[in-house]
Amino acid sequence: MRLFSFLLSGLTVSCLVLAGAPAFAAPSCDGVNGYAAEGQRTFLWRPDAMASVAVDLKTDPAYAALLKEADADLHKGPWSVTDKTHATPSHDPHDYMSIAPYWWPDPAQPNGEPYINRDGRVNPERATEAFDRTRLGEMSEAVKTLALAYHYSHDAKYAARAAEILRVWFLDAKTRMNPNMNFAQGVPGRTPGRSYGIIDAANFLDVTEAIGLLQPSGALSPEETTGLKQWFGDFADWMVTSDNGRTERDAKNNHGIWYDLQLTDYALFSGRADLAKEVASAFAQRRLEPEMAMDGSLPQELARTRSFHYSTWTMQAVYDEAALASCVGVDLWNWKAADGRSLWLATDFLARYAGHEGDWHWQEIAMNTDDLYEALLRAAWGYKDRSLDAKADIYRKTYATAPINLIYPPLPAKGQ
């Protein structure tokens, strides 16, 4: 059964008006058809941006790094949740399982349980073969890399390997993951799984884009593509109906934002435009207004021990949601609340720290600018704004080989 209503009860969607940011003429993202270019079907990876990448591939360090990584990925994996060495509480190895990143054994307890929280400090146990978190990340990164390599090189071997990896993780009855996150980010001695664990699935956002990029290759049969759509439709249903899903839906910090982004994406990918539009239409009032301060900052993220990371990483999700919302006729880019808060204001708040990270006066135990760079790239393309592109340019040499440059390159020169 498909469920389409759960967000709007009792809510009045905010009015969308111009926020002072420049308007842009973007290629059309047509609902569940996405950006249909040359047989592809993507929702976040814009064909105009990727076309501008292809002009200078021979001298692009990101492309050289991509091919090197893609060639290595031809011999990695495939990965399966059934490979973990720790038994799940359900005793079904097809269920995904991970432990929470910031929870550690309690040295005061003989067996370390119940675990205790150390915010911002990742327990290395999370990355072991006992759990699925690392293999989920490796699987999604490989699929993304191989799909991009196929797209730009037109070499079918990359598409074929990506398709094999997708079959093992999502489709093969012996190895597929069940479409749930019941046991994600559990805390030993406290709970076998938490609503927060749904954020582990954010890696799938690259997977759905990669699948759309692979379509012209024919590496996935029509039946397999249908099976992948069904998997993500089932996962969306689980997000809407499960206890963990409903709890995560009600989260007020970055978790609620990432929840909406995932649900919008999986709804579009699986062909459910009504659900995607419902989530996108409520996003400004349900997420942006409660989360954003009058200066455009995100106070709940500023309160973290890694405030810079969480602020910039959360804004990536906001920009991606704005991009997906445009596919169903909802304009979040130009949203403005009655009190003057807007997405443009939040963008301006972050952009002022580009090249001035030392002025950031909130706690950050591991300062890194990669998330700010990615946020600025998304914002520059979303607004088609050259001032934001110039801010991103501060970091381009530092991250010259990053794959994000093959998705969001510099804005084309005027007149192109």
Side-chain angles (χ1 to χ4, degrees), residues 222-264:
E223 293 77 16
E224 288 172 331
T225 300
T226 297
L228 290 165
K229 291 179 181 178
Q230 180 67 51
W231 193 97
F232 280 99
D234 290 344
F235 189 72
D237 281 340
W238 177 85
M239 289 180 68
V240 171
T241 61
S242 66
D243 289 341
N244 281 351
R246 288 193 294 266
T247 301
E248 189 76 340
R249 179 197 66 196
D250 294 335
K252 304 303 181 184
N253 62 357
N254 70 84
H255 278 267
I257 289 172
W258 282 97
Y259 174 93
D260 277 9
L261 171 59
Q262 289 192 67
L263 187 55
T264 306

Side-chain angles (χ1 to χ4, degrees), residues 310-367:
Y310 275 103
S311 294
T312 53
W313 181 62
T314 301
M315 286 303 297
Q316 290 181 42
V318 172
Y319 295 135
D320 280 350
E321 178 66 17
L324 295 180
S326 69
C327 299
V328 289
V330 176
D331 183 5
L332 293 176
W333 292 107
N334 295 310
W335 163 77
K336 187 175 182 179
D339 57 13
R341 290 176 300 159
S342 66
L343 183 51
W344 182 254
L345 181 68
T347 301
D348 183 65
F349 174 83
L350 283 187
R352 74 185 64 167
Y353 293 101
H356 301 280
E357 305 84 29
D359 294 338
W360 187 264
H361 60 269
W362 296 273
Q363 185 178 12
E364 177 52 66
I365 63 176
M367 176 60 76

Side-chain angles (χ1 to χ4, degrees), residues 275-304:
L275 176 57
K277 186 166 186 175
E278 191 168 6
V279 179
S281 296
F283 187 81
Q285 184 175 354
R286 191 175 186 91
R287 305 302 181 192
L288 297 182
E289 290 191 16
E291 174 85 90
M292 190 184 301
M294 289 302 298
D295 64 354
S297 67
L298 306 177
Q300 294 192 71
E301 312 313 323
L302 293 179
R304 303 294 296 272

